[in-house]
Amino acid sequence: MERVSLEASVRQRTGKEGARRLRRAGAVPAVVYGRGRQPVAVAVESRALRTVLHTHAGTNVLIDLDIRADGAADRQLVMVKELQRDIFSHEIIHVDFHAISLEETLEVHVPVVLVGTPRGVTEGGLLDQHLREVAVECLPTQIPERLEVDVSELRVGQAVHAGDLKMPEGVTLLTPPAEVVATVLAPRVEEAAPAAPPAAEVAAVPVPEAAVGEKSVEKPAAKPPAEGA
């Protein structure tokens, strides 16, 4: 597990206006808490924070945070607990640091990486990864950078579960073992459009002339012949 250093300064101003001033100056407001200490509002340089988080460990990197106040420095081992990003620029706008101990286990989320091309995919199936990361418990120095799983033997309809992942020594899986990590779906079959039903045959029925644009004229009844005719 990677371990890096980062400088922080105690914030004199808090609140929204203070946070906005920090961001305009190229800093990120943050809070340090944990291990029975009172939360401390600090600020870290934005560019330095991005560099720290772009290691192979990602947000699981161990950080020696040098907290400076009135000329003195307090070094604290921390990890990133939560990041807040701007919804438009995706820039980090706030970070929570959690103080930790190298001798105490903690819960972290580790990325899951699929290796190989499933046999089911070569047969026309589609690989679907349900879980991108799993929760584990271990000492800070034993946090794996990632967990790899070979999916090359998966056929259509088969799946890899969280319980199938191989945990390094000292690492305990917390995600339910039955959770599906990845599966190969059956190929999609396009349904053929149903054939149009044959046109109904309608018997030709002669239409009386009176029904076609003409009015029916009632003929008077024939008179009986006169007597003696």
Side-chain angles (χ1 to χ4, degrees):
M1 177 54 59
E2 293 190 56
R3 186 167 177 172
V4 297
S5 296
L6 181 66
E7 292 186 358
S9 57
V10 175
R11 279 190 281 160
Q12 302 300 326
R13 294 183 178 183
T14 57
K16 293 183 178 180
E17 182 57 33
R20 280 194 286 265
R21 289 186 178 182
L22 282 174
R23 296 185 189 109
R24 286 196 294 266
V28 177
V31 174
V32 183
Y33 66 95
R35 292 189 54 77
R37 63 181 296 167
Q38 291 293 324
V40 179
V42 300
V44 295
E45 204 274 328
S46 178
R47 183 177 300 177
L49 178 62
R50 288 196 300 269
T51 300
V52 164
L53 297 180
H54 281 132
T55 64
H56 292 293
T59 56
N60 286 335
V61 64
L62 303 181
I63 303 172
D64 287 309
L65 191 66
D66 289 325
I67 305 174
R68 301 184 179 277
D70 299 327
D74 174 24
R75 171 165 288 199
Q76 181 67 56
L77 181 62
V78 301
M79 290 184 66
V80 173
K81 186 66 175 179
E82 183 178 358
L83 285 174
Q84 295 180 21
R85 295 181 181 272
D86 183 271
I87 59 175
F88 299 109
S89 66
H90 300 291
E91 291 291 331
I92 300 174
I93 59 175
H94 192 275
V95 57
D96 286 348
F97 292 113
H98 185 235
I100 62 173
S101 169
L102 293 178
E103 299 176 354
E104 297 178 2
T105 61
L106 70 165
E107 177 182 341
V108 294
H109 289 81
V110 179
V112 176
V113 178
L114 307 183
V115 179
T117 301
R119 297 178 66 178
V121 170
T122 60
E123 297 168 355
L126 177 66
L127 179 63
D128 184 19
Q129 185 171 357
H130 293 261
L131 292 182
R132 300 284 175 178
E133 59 184 20
V134 292
V136 302
E137 183 180 20
C138 59
L139 292 171
T141 54
Q142 295 176 320
I143 301 174
E145 292 182 0
R146 62 183 184 177
L147 295 171
E148 295 185 351
V149 56
D150 187 359
V151 295
S152 57
E153 293 300 317
L154 283 185
R155 288 186 175 275
V156 174
Q158 295 181 331
V160 171
H161 299 84
D164 298 325
L165 300 175
K166 294 181 180 179
M167 294 294 111
E169 184 178 356
V171 180
T172 302
L173 177 69
L174 297 181
T175 298
E179 288 279 346
V180 175
V181 174
T183 185
V184 178
L185 304 176
R188 294 180 179 178
V189 178
E190 294 185 1
E191 297 183 0
E201 295 183 1
V202 180
V205 178
V207 180
E209 293 183 0
V212 183
E214 295 182 2
K215 294 184 179 180
S216 177
V217 179
E218 187 176 347
K219 296 182 178 180
K223 295 182 178 180
E227 293 183 3

